[in-house]
Amino acid sequence: MRGSGIVARWRSRLPVTARTPIVTLGEGDTPLVRADRAAAAAGKPAGSVWLKLEGCNPTGSFKDRGMALAVSKALEARATGVLCASTGNTSAAAAAYAARAGLRCVVFLPKGKVAAGKLAQAVMHGAEIVEVDGNFDQALTMAAETATKRGFVLVNSSNPFRIEGQKTGAFEVVEALGRAPAAHFMPVGNAGNITAYWRGYRELGTRPRMFGWQAAGAAPLVHGRPVRFPRTVATAIRIGNPVSWAQAVAARDESRGAIGAVTDAEILSAQRLLARAEGVFCEPASAAPLAGLLRLARAGRAPSGTVVCVLTGHGLKDPETAMKAKTKIRRVKAGGEFRL
Ligand SMILES: *Cc1c(COP(=O)(O)O)cnc(C)c1O
């Protein structure tokens, strides 16, 4: 049943029962598209690089997969509401799925660090918004404490149902390709998604090499210690102390993969390449995996075989960053002939 959401599609592999009220917006079943120009840029043959367009989910990011299940389970548990801290996409997804479920939704957002499109979604869906004068990691601590005290369900990626829902992305990749890719590339912030994809691949008995990418100014997993003041244009991965640290390291080591860092300049350049050469507009964090592939290629170390890059969120999430890209706009009076 395509288009009916991740639970209807993968029910036997998910922790639901006949009594679980399923909250869905038709998430999942996102396109996996060939990217031959990106492949060429990485010195790889045509047909070897594929993009999983998670921006095509209902709220524009992969967070919908995990949120569909987390909110369904919160409803089953008769919670009064859901609560999260967020760099933006988690709050957008929580707000939408809570609205659909008829639950209260409270979101803790780090001040001044949430992209405009994501904030607009939380506002529009009627979430109760708390602006925290601090970074994401501090907002998460506050959110967790408040949830425990007030009987709300925390829907950050520490919620096990988030990970369970997100692993369905790996099922779709294997189904679309007919087998697992040789290497799986994705951005890493709190590391819930790399944990989820690795679990999904393992449940199918496959083991692609997992390559996670952090921003250079927010690369705790690369340095091996938390980053106190994470900085990067890729706000979705501006995380200094990942919640799923140990699981990310396990995915890397068990799969003989790697977790590396890319600079903001590399991220923005890869974002532009995807938009201009592939017709795919993703948000900055989502360009980190291609930036990583290009970095490995420059060092002569791009993995051989099929590479899948997960483009985690839609470009329209962060219009301010996009509008900073230099472009020439010609101004003319209406009427008359225009010569190109
Ligand atoms: C949440 C998010 C990430 C990071 O995912 P984690 O599970 O926190 O590692 C990357 N990109 C986008 C667009 C996101 O919304």
Side-chain angles (χ1 to χ4, degrees), residues 190-223:
N190 268 312
N193 214 24
I194 192 169
T195 303
Y197 267 91
W198 181 235
R199 184 182 298 174
Y201 283 126
R202 295 296 298 126
E203 285 185 10
L204 298 180
T206 63
R207 328 176 60 91
R209 294 179 70 192
M210 302 295 287
F211 289 83
W213 296 96
Q214 303 204 287
L221 293 167
V222 178
H223 303 311

Side-chain angles (χ1 to χ4, degrees), residues 61-63 89 187-193 236-237 283 285-286 312-313:
S61 88
F62 75 83
K63 299 296 199 300
N89 282 330
V188 173
N190 268 312
N193 214 24
I237 52 173
E283 68 172 281
S286 307
T312 45

Side-chain angles (χ1 to χ4, degrees), residues 70-86:
V71 171
S72 296
K73 297 301 280 189
L75 201 57
E76 183 177 11
R78 300 182 185 283
T80 37
V82 296
L83 193 150
C84 66
S86 175

Side-chain angles (χ1 to χ4, degrees), residues 14-69:
L14 295 171
V16 292
T17 69
R19 282 193 308 279
T20 312
I22 305 306
V23 183
T24 182
L25 287 163
E27 64 291 328
D29 269 328
T30 56
L32 184 71
V33 300
R34 251 174 87 144
D36 287 354
R37 293 203 180 94
K44 288 181 61 66
S48 67
V49 174
W50 295 76
L51 311 174
K52 180 75 170 153
L53 305 188
E54 288 292 279
C56 295
N57 277 298
T59 78
S61 88
F62 75 83
K63 299 296 199 300
D64 292 345
R65 295 178 185 274
M67 205 57 74
L69 192 59

